[in-house]
Amino acid sequence: MPIRHLLPSALQIGLSNQLALYDSLYIALALNLNCPLITVDDRQAKGAIAKATSAIAKATSAITKATSAIAKATSAIAKATSAIAKATSAIAKATSAIAIAILAIAIAISAISIAISANPFAISANPIAISAIAIAISAISIATSAISIAILAIALYQLICSSSTSLITV
C-alpha cells in the first residue's frame, strides 16, 4: 500500500498523540487494513487506543443520530397512518350517507309514483314529496363532497409520507 494514502491519517494520529511519523504510519496502516496492531511500544499502543476510542465515539454518535432519525420517521409514519385511517373512516361514513340519501330518494319517488297513480294531479298538490326529493339530492351532493375531501386528505397524507424521509435530517 502506498504511504501517501496513509500520510494524512498518520499525521493526525502523530500530532494528536505526540508520536513519531514512523509509529503513526503503523497505526494508520492497521486501521486502514482493519487488522490488530501488535506492538511493545507503550506510546504507540496508547496512540492506537486513543484513535480506536475516537472512532468508537464517532460511530456511537452516528448510531445515536440514526436512531433519532428512525424515531422521527416512525412517528411521522404513525401520524400519517392515523390520518389515513381517519380519512378512510370519513369516506365510509360519507358512503353510508350517500346510500341513505339514495334510499330516501327511492322512497320519495315511490311515494310520488303512488300519489300519481292515485291522482295524476297530486304531484302539484304534494310539495312535501318534492321537498323530500330536493333534500335527498342535496344530501347526496354533500356526501359526495365529503368523499372528495376525504380522498384529497388521503392523497395529501400519502404525499407527506412519501416525502417524509427528505424532511427528516440526521
Side-chain angles (χ1 to χ4, degrees), residues 53-100:
T53 303
S54 172
I56 290 170
K58 288 178 183 176
T60 302
S61 175
I63 289 170
T64 301
K65 288 178 182 178
T67 302
S68 175
I70 289 169
K72 288 178 184 177
T74 302
S75 175
I77 289 169
K79 287 177 184 176
T81 301
S82 174
I84 289 171
K86 288 177 183 176
T88 302
S89 175
I91 288 174
K93 289 176 183 176
T95 303
S96 294
I98 287 176
I100 292 168

mmCIF file of all heavy atoms in Angstrom, residues 53-100:
data_model
loop_
_atom_site.group_PDB
_atom_site.id
_atom_site.type_symbol
_atom_site.label_atom_id
_atom_site.label_comp_id
_atom_site.label_asym_id
_atom_site.label_seq_id
_atom_site.Cartn_x
_atom_site.Cartn_y
_atom_site.Cartn_z
ATOM 1 N N THR A 53 -10.643 4.628 20.299
ATOM 2 C CA THR A 53 -11.663 5.210 21.171
ATOM 3 C C THR A 53 -12.381 6.353 20.460
ATOM 4 O O THR A 53 -13.605 6.482 20.541
ATOM 5 C CB THR A 53 -11.025 5.709 22.482
ATOM 6 O OG1 THR A 53 -10.344 4.622 23.105
ATOM 7 C CG2 THR A 53 -12.056 6.282 23.420
ATOM 8 N N SER A 54 -11.616 7.157 19.738
ATOM 9 C CA SER A 54 -12.217 8.251 18.972
ATOM 10 C C SER A 54 -13.149 7.716 17.886
ATOM 11 O O SER A 54 -14.246 8.243 17.670
ATOM 12 C CB SER A 54 -11.109 9.100 18.339
ATOM 13 O OG SER A 54 -11.653 10.050 17.458
ATOM 14 N N ALA A 55 -12.721 6.650 17.209
ATOM 15 C CA ALA A 55 -13.562 6.051 16.169
ATOM 16 C C ALA A 55 -14.840 5.469 16.777
ATOM 17 O O ALA A 55 -15.933 5.605 16.202
ATOM 18 C CB ALA A 55 -12.785 4.968 15.425
ATOM 19 N N ILE A 56 -14.728 4.851 17.933
ATOM 20 C CA ILE A 56 -15.912 4.297 18.607
ATOM 21 C C ILE A 56 -16.864 5.418 19.005
ATOM 22 O O ILE A 56 -18.080 5.297 18.847
ATOM 23 C CB ILE A 56 -15.492 3.449 19.834
ATOM 24 C CG1 ILE A 56 -14.816 2.160 19.366
ATOM 25 C CG2 ILE A 56 -16.685 3.140 20.730
ATOM 26 C CD1 ILE A 56 -14.142 1.369 20.477
ATOM 27 N N ALA A 57 -16.322 6.533 19.505
ATOM 28 C CA ALA A 57 -17.172 7.668 19.893
ATOM 29 C C ALA A 57 -17.909 8.226 18.682
ATOM 30 O O ALA A 57 -19.106 8.543 18.759
ATOM 31 C CB ALA A 57 -16.326 8.748 20.557
ATOM 32 N N LYS A 58 -17.208 8.338 17.551
ATOM 33 C CA LYS A 58 -17.856 8.835 16.330
ATOM 34 C C LYS A 58 -18.937 7.874 15.853
ATOM 35 O O LYS A 58 -20.022 8.289 15.443
ATOM 36 C CB LYS A 58 -16.816 9.056 15.223
ATOM 37 C CG LYS A 58 -15.930 10.258 15.461
ATOM 38 C CD LYS A 58 -14.884 10.402 14.364
ATOM 39 C CE LYS A 58 -13.948 11.563 14.650
ATOM 40 N NZ LYS A 58 -12.868 11.662 13.657
ATOM 41 N N ALA A 59 -18.652 6.587 15.914
ATOM 42 C CA ALA A 59 -19.644 5.586 15.497
ATOM 43 C C ALA A 59 -20.856 5.628 16.429
ATOM 44 O O ALA A 59 -21.996 5.543 15.971
ATOM 45 C CB ALA A 59 -19.018 4.193 15.488
ATOM 46 N N THR A 60 -20.617 5.774 17.722
ATOM 47 C CA THR A 60 -21.716 5.852 18.686
ATOM 48 C C THR A 60 -22.578 7.087 18.426
ATOM 49 O O THR A 60 -23.808 7.019 18.472
ATOM 50 C CB THR A 60 -21.155 5.890 20.130
ATOM 51 O OG1 THR A 60 -20.369 4.721 20.344
ATOM 52 C CG2 THR A 60 -22.261 5.954 21.151
ATOM 53 N N SER A 61 -21.927 8.189 18.125
ATOM 54 C CA SER A 61 -22.667 9.415 17.801
ATOM 55 C C SER A 61 -23.509 9.226 16.538
ATOM 56 O O SER A 61 -24.668 9.649 16.485
ATOM 57 C CB SER A 61 -21.691 10.577 17.609
ATOM 58 O OG SER A 61 -22.371 11.731 17.187
ATOM 59 N N ALA A 62 -22.930 8.587 15.531
ATOM 60 C CA ALA A 62 -23.673 8.326 14.289
ATOM 61 C C ALA A 62 -24.862 7.408 14.539
ATOM 62 O O ALA A 62 -25.953 7.617 13.996
ATOM 63 C CB ALA A 62 -22.747 7.732 13.231
ATOM 64 N N ILE A 63 -24.665 6.407 15.388
ATOM 65 C CA ILE A 63 -25.765 5.488 15.721
ATOM 66 C C ILE A 63 -26.868 6.234 16.458
ATOM 67 O O ILE A 63 -28.057 6.031 16.195
ATOM 68 C CB ILE A 63 -25.236 4.294 16.553
ATOM 69 C CG1 ILE A 63 -24.396 3.377 15.659
ATOM 70 C CG2 ILE A 63 -26.375 3.525 17.206
ATOM 71 C CD1 ILE A 63 -23.634 2.310 16.413
ATOM 72 N N THR A 64 -26.495 7.121 17.374
ATOM 73 C CA THR A 64 -27.483 7.914 18.115
ATOM 74 C C THR A 64 -28.291 8.800 17.164
ATOM 75 O O THR A 64 -29.517 8.879 17.258
ATOM 76 C CB THR A 64 -26.777 8.783 19.180
ATOM 77 O OG1 THR A 64 -26.059 7.927 20.066
ATOM 78 C CG2 THR A 64 -27.766 9.615 19.962
ATOM 79 N N LYS A 65 -27.610 9.442 16.224
ATOM 80 C CA LYS A 65 -28.308 10.289 15.246
ATOM 81 C C LYS A 65 -29.226 9.450 14.358
ATOM 82 O O LYS A 65 -30.349 9.855 14.065
ATOM 83 C CB LYS A 65 -27.302 11.055 14.395
ATOM 84 C CG LYS A 65 -26.602 12.171 15.143
ATOM 85 C CD LYS A 65 -25.589 12.874 14.263
ATOM 86 C CE LYS A 65 -24.863 13.961 15.020
ATOM 87 N NZ LYS A 65 -23.846 14.628 14.190
ATOM 88 N N ALA A 66 -28.747 8.293 13.931
ATOM 89 C CA ALA A 66 -29.570 7.415 13.084
ATOM 90 C C ALA A 66 -30.791 6.919 13.855
ATOM 91 O O ALA A 66 -31.902 6.875 13.317
ATOM 92 C CB ALA A 66 -28.744 6.241 12.580
ATOM 93 N N THR A 67 -30.600 6.584 15.130
ATOM 94 C CA THR A 67 -31.720 6.137 15.961
ATOM 95 C C THR A 67 -32.753 7.242 16.115
ATOM 96 O O THR A 67 -33.956 6.996 16.041
ATOM 97 C CB THR A 67 -31.200 5.680 17.350
ATOM 98 O OG1 THR A 67 -30.245 4.644 17.155
ATOM 99 C CG2 THR A 67 -32.322 5.178 18.226
ATOM 100 N N SER A 68 -32.284 8.462 16.305
ATOM 101 C CA SER A 68 -33.191 9.610 16.412
ATOM 102 C C SER A 68 -33.961 9.819 15.107
ATOM 103 O O SER A 68 -35.176 10.071 15.118
ATOM 104 C CB SER A 68 -32.394 10.870 16.758
ATOM 105 O OG SER A 68 -33.220 12.002 16.756
ATOM 106 N N ALA A 69 -33.267 9.690 13.979
ATOM 107 C CA ALA A 69 -33.922 9.843 12.677
ATOM 108 C C ALA A 69 -34.963 8.755 12.462
ATOM 109 O O ALA A 69 -36.059 9.013 11.946
ATOM 110 C CB ALA A 69 -32.893 9.826 11.555
ATOM 111 N N ILE A 70 -34.649 7.539 12.881
ATOM 112 C CA ILE A 70 -35.609 6.431 12.752
ATOM 113 C C ILE A 70 -36.829 6.699 13.624
ATOM 114 O O ILE A 70 -37.965 6.460 13.210
ATOM 115 C CB ILE A 70 -34.929 5.088 13.116
ATOM 116 C CG1 ILE A 70 -33.932 4.703 12.012
ATOM 117 C CG2 ILE A 70 -35.953 3.989 13.328
ATOM 118 C CD1 ILE A 70 -33.019 3.545 12.382
ATOM 119 N N ALA A 71 -36.611 7.214 14.836
ATOM 120 C CA ALA A 71 -37.729 7.529 15.730
ATOM 121 C C ALA A 71 -38.620 8.609 15.121
ATOM 122 O O ALA A 71 -39.853 8.511 15.162
ATOM 123 C CB ALA A 71 -37.212 7.974 17.096
ATOM 124 N N LYS A 72 -38.003 9.629 14.531
ATOM 125 C CA LYS A 72 -38.782 10.700 13.878
ATOM 126 C C LYS A 72 -39.577 10.140 12.696
ATOM 127 O O LYS A 72 -40.746 10.470 12.515
ATOM 128 C CB LYS A 72 -37.859 11.822 13.402
ATOM 129 C CG LYS A 72 -37.299 12.663 14.523
ATOM 130 C CD LYS A 72 -36.351 13.727 13.971
ATOM 131 C CE LYS A 72 -35.700 14.519 15.082
ATOM 132 N NZ LYS A 72 -34.741 15.502 14.548
ATOM 133 N N ALA A 73 -38.942 9.299 11.901
ATOM 134 C CA ALA A 73 -39.622 8.714 10.749
ATOM 135 C C ALA A 73 -40.768 7.815 11.200
ATOM 136 O O ALA A 73 -41.862 7.844 10.624
ATOM 137 C CB ALA A 73 -38.632 7.921 9.889
ATOM 138 N N THR A 74 -40.536 7.034 12.248
ATOM 139 C CA THR A 74 -41.574 6.148 12.774
ATOM 140 C C THR A 74 -42.763 6.964 13.277
ATOM 141 O O THR A 74 -43.918 6.611 13.029
ATOM 142 C CB THR A 74 -41.000 5.263 13.902
ATOM 143 O OG1 THR A 74 -39.905 4.515 13.371
ATOM 144 C CG2 THR A 74 -42.039 4.316 14.460
ATOM 145 N N SER A 75 -42.475 8.062 13.960
ATOM 146 C CA SER A 75 -43.542 8.934 14.458
ATOM 147 C C SER A 75 -44.332 9.545 13.294
ATOM 148 O O SER A 75 -45.569 9.591 13.326
ATOM 149 C CB SER A 75 -42.942 10.041 15.327
ATOM 150 O OG SER A 75 -43.926 10.960 15.716
ATOM 151 N N ALA A 76 -43.622 10.000 12.272
ATOM 152 C CA ALA A 76 -44.292 10.585 11.107
ATOM 153 C C ALA A 76 -45.163 9.550 10.397
ATOM 154 O O ALA A 76 -46.290 9.846 9.979
ATOM 155 C CB ALA A 76 -43.260 11.163 10.134
ATOM 156 N N ILE A 77 -44.661 8.338 10.294
ATOM 157 C CA ILE A 77 -45.436 7.267 9.648
ATOM 158 C C ILE A 77 -46.673 6.940 10.474
ATOM 159 O O ILE A 77 -47.763 6.743 9.930
ATOM 160 C CB ILE A 77 -44.551 6.022 9.419
ATOM 161 C CG1 ILE A 77 -43.524 6.314 8.322
ATOM 162 C CG2 ILE A 77 -45.384 4.803 9.070
ATOM 163 C CD1 ILE A 77 -42.433 5.260 8.190
ATOM 164 N N ALA A 78 -46.513 6.910 11.805
ATOM 165 C CA ALA A 78 -47.665 6.630 12.676
ATOM 166 C C ALA A 78 -48.729 7.711 12.538
ATOM 167 O O ALA A 78 -49.934 7.414 12.458
ATOM 168 C CB ALA A 78 -47.219 6.508 14.126
ATOM 169 N N LYS A 79 -48.306 8.980 12.489
ATOM 170 C CA LYS A 79 -49.258 10.084 12.336
ATOM 171 C C LYS A 79 -49.959 9.996 10.976
ATOM 172 O O LYS A 79 -51.172 10.192 10.887
ATOM 173 C CB LYS A 79 -48.541 11.429 12.477
ATOM 174 C CG LYS A 79 -48.131 11.737 13.896
ATOM 175 C CD LYS A 79 -47.361 13.040 13.985
ATOM 176 C CE LYS A 79 -46.877 13.294 15.402
ATOM 177 N NZ LYS A 79 -46.048 14.506 15.482
ATOM 178 N N ALA A 80 -49.205 9.727 9.934
ATOM 179 C CA ALA A 80 -49.793 9.623 8.594
ATOM 180 C C ALA A 80 -50.755 8.441 8.517
ATOM 181 O O ALA A 80 -51.840 8.545 7.936
ATOM 182 C CB ALA A 80 -48.703 9.494 7.541
ATOM 183 N N THR A 81 -50.381 7.330 9.131
ATOM 184 C CA THR A 81 -51.249 6.149 9.138
ATOM 185 C C THR A 81 -52.552 6.444 9.869
ATOM 186 O O THR A 81 -53.635 6.071 9.411
ATOM 187 C CB THR A 81 -50.518 4.955 9.797
ATOM 188 O OG1 THR A 81 -49.317 4.698 9.059
ATOM 189 C CG2 THR A 81 -51.380 3.713 9.810
ATOM 190 N N SER A 82 -52.447 7.150 10.986
ATOM 191 C CA SER A 82 -53.645 7.531 11.748
ATOM 192 C C SER A 82 -54.533 8.456 10.912
ATOM 193 O O SER A 82 -55.760 8.289 10.886
ATOM 194 C CB SER A 82 -53.231 8.226 13.049
ATOM 195 O OG SER A 82 -54.359 8.724 13.717
ATOM 196 N N ALA A 83 -53.917 9.405 10.242
ATOM 197 C CA ALA A 83 -54.692 10.333 9.409
ATOM 198 C C ALA A 83 -55.360 9.603 8.250
ATOM 199 O O ALA A 83 -56.512 9.892 7.907
ATOM 200 C CB ALA A 83 -53.783 11.444 8.890
ATOM 201 N N ILE A 84 -54.661 8.657 7.655
ATOM 202 C CA ILE A 84 -55.247 7.881 6.559
ATOM 203 C C ILE A 84 -56.417 7.053 7.077
ATOM 204 O O ILE A 84 -57.458 6.938 6.418
ATOM 205 C CB ILE A 84 -54.172 7.010 5.863
ATOM 206 C CG1 ILE A 84 -53.230 7.911 5.066
ATOM 207 C CG2 ILE A 84 -54.809 5.958 4.964
ATOM 208 C CD1 ILE A 84 -52.015 7.206 4.515
ATOM 209 N N ALA A 85 -56.267 6.489 8.278
ATOM 210 C CA ALA A 85 -57.366 5.712 8.862
ATOM 211 C C ALA A 85 -58.583 6.611 9.102
ATOM 212 O O ALA A 85 -59.727 6.215 8.835
ATOM 213 C CB ALA A 85 -56.922 5.056 10.166
ATOM 214 N N LYS A 86 -58.343 7.828 9.598
ATOM 215 C CA LYS A 86 -59.450 8.762 9.828
ATOM 216 C C LYS A 86 -60.111 9.154 8.506
ATOM 217 O O LYS A 86 -61.339 9.234 8.420
ATOM 218 C CB LYS A 86 -58.946 10.013 10.561
ATOM 219 C CG LYS A 86 -58.605 9.750 12.010
ATOM 220 C CD LYS A 86 -58.035 10.986 12.683
ATOM 221 C CE LYS A 86 -57.626 10.673 14.118
ATOM 222 N NZ LYS A 86 -56.993 11.821 14.776
ATOM 223 N N ALA A 87 -59.297 9.394 7.485
ATOM 224 C CA ALA A 87 -59.851 9.757 6.181
ATOM 225 C C ALA A 87 -60.643 8.595 5.595
ATOM 226 O O ALA A 87 -61.717 8.793 5.007
ATOM 227 C CB ALA A 87 -58.730 10.179 5.231
ATOM 228 N N THR A 88 -60.137 7.384 5.774
ATOM 229 C CA THR A 88 -60.846 6.200 5.288
ATOM 230 C C THR A 88 -62.181 6.046 6.012
ATOM 231 O O THR A 88 -63.207 5.728 5.398
ATOM 232 C CB THR A 88 -59.977 4.939 5.491
ATOM 233 O OG1 THR A 88 -58.736 5.135 4.795
ATOM 234 C CG2 THR A 88 -60.655 3.698 4.960
ATOM 235 N N SER A 89 -62.181 6.313 7.315
ATOM 236 C CA SER A 89 -63.417 6.264 8.095
ATOM 237 C C SER A 89 -64.402 7.326 7.594
ATOM 238 O O SER A 89 -65.605 7.063 7.480
ATOM 239 C CB SER A 89 -63.102 6.486 9.576
ATOM 240 O OG SER A 89 -64.289 6.566 10.332
ATOM 241 N N ALA A 90 -63.888 8.509 7.288
ATOM 242 C CA ALA A 90 -64.745 9.581 6.769
ATOM 243 C C ALA A 90 -65.355 9.183 5.426
ATOM 244 O O ALA A 90 -66.531 9.466 5.156
ATOM 245 C CB ALA A 90 -63.951 10.877 6.632
ATOM 246 N N ILE A 91 -64.565 8.514 4.592
ATOM 247 C CA ILE A 91 -65.092 8.049 3.299
ATOM 248 C C ILE A 91 -66.200 7.025 3.527
ATOM 249 O O ILE A 91 -67.241 7.052 2.861
ATOM 250 C CB ILE A 91 -63.964 7.462 2.423
ATOM 251 C CG1 ILE A 91 -63.065 8.584 1.910
ATOM 252 C CG2 ILE A 91 -64.524 6.672 1.246
ATOM 253 C CD1 ILE A 91 -61.844 8.100 1.161
ATOM 254 N N ALA A 92 -65.989 6.119 4.480
ATOM 255 C CA ALA A 92 -67.014 5.105 4.770
ATOM 256 C C ALA A 92 -68.301 5.768 5.261
ATOM 257 O O ALA A 92 -69.405 5.389 4.848
ATOM 258 C CB ALA A 92 -66.494 4.109 5.808
ATOM 259 N N LYS A 93 -68.155 6.763 6.139
ATOM 260 C CA LYS A 93 -69.344 7.473 6.642
ATOM 261 C C LYS A 93 -70.048 8.233 5.512
ATOM 262 O O LYS A 93 -71.278 8.235 5.429
ATOM 263 C CB LYS A 93 -68.946 8.434 7.765
ATOM 264 C CG LYS A 93 -68.563 7.716 9.047
ATOM 265 C CD LYS A 93 -68.079 8.683 10.110
ATOM 266 C CE LYS A 93 -67.624 7.924 11.356
ATOM 267 N NZ LYS A 93 -67.053 8.814 12.366
ATOM 268 N N ALA A 94 -69.265 8.875 4.656
ATOM 269 C CA ALA A 94 -69.861 9.610 3.536
ATOM 270 C C ALA A 94 -70.553 8.650 2.575
ATOM 271 O O ALA A 94 -71.631 8.954 2.040
ATOM 272 C CB ALA A 94 -68.786 10.416 2.808
ATOM 273 N N THR A 95 -69.956 7.480 2.366
ATOM 274 C CA THR A 95 -70.572 6.473 1.503
ATOM 275 C C THR A 95 -71.900 6.004 2.097
ATOM 276 O O THR A 95 -72.892 5.838 1.371
ATOM 277 C CB THR A 95 -69.610 5.280 1.304
ATOM 278 O OG1 THR A 95 -68.381 5.784 0.753
ATOM 279 C CG2 THR A 95 -70.173 4.250 0.361
ATOM 280 N N SER A 96 -71.918 5.813 3.410
ATOM 281 C CA SER A 96 -73.182 5.441 4.076
ATOM 282 C C SER A 96 -74.225 6.534 3.916
ATOM 283 O O SER A 96 -75.407 6.260 3.684
ATOM 284 C CB SER A 96 -72.938 5.181 5.564
ATOM 285 O OG SER A 96 -72.115 4.055 5.734
ATOM 286 N N ALA A 97 -73.783 7.785 4.047
ATOM 287 C CA ALA A 97 -74.714 8.909 3.887
ATOM 288 C C ALA A 97 -75.297 8.938 2.474
ATOM 289 O O ALA A 97 -76.485 9.208 2.286
ATOM 290 C CB ALA A 97 -74.011 10.225 4.207
ATOM 291 N N ILE A 98 -74.451 8.643 1.484
ATOM 292 C CA ILE A 98 -74.950 8.597 0.100
ATOM 293 C C ILE A 98 -75.974 7.475 -0.042
ATOM 294 O O ILE A 98 -77.025 7.655 -0.671
ATOM 295 C CB ILE A 98 -73.787 8.420 -0.898
ATOM 296 C CG1 ILE A 98 -72.997 9.720 -1.008
ATOM 297 C CG2 ILE A 98 -74.292 8.003 -2.277
ATOM 298 C CD1 ILE A 98 -71.776 9.635 -1.893
ATOM 299 N N ALA A 99 -75.684 6.326 0.547
ATOM 300 C CA ALA A 99 -76.617 5.195 0.459
ATOM 301 C C ALA A 99 -77.956 5.567 1.105
ATOM 302 O O ALA A 99 -79.029 5.261 0.558
ATOM 303 C CB ALA A 99 -76.023 3.961 1.128
ATOM 304 N N ILE A 100 -77.904 6.233 2.251
ATOM 305 C CA ILE A 100 -79.141 6.658 2.925
ATOM 306 C C ILE A 100 -79.883 7.678 2.073
ATOM 307 O O ILE A 100 -81.117 7.615 1.931
ATOM 308 C CB ILE A 100 -78.825 7.207 4.330
ATOM 309 C CG1 ILE A 100 -78.346 6.065 5.236
ATOM 310 C CG2 ILE A 100 -80.027 7.916 4.941
ATOM 311 C CD1 ILE A 100 -77.743 6.515 6.552
#
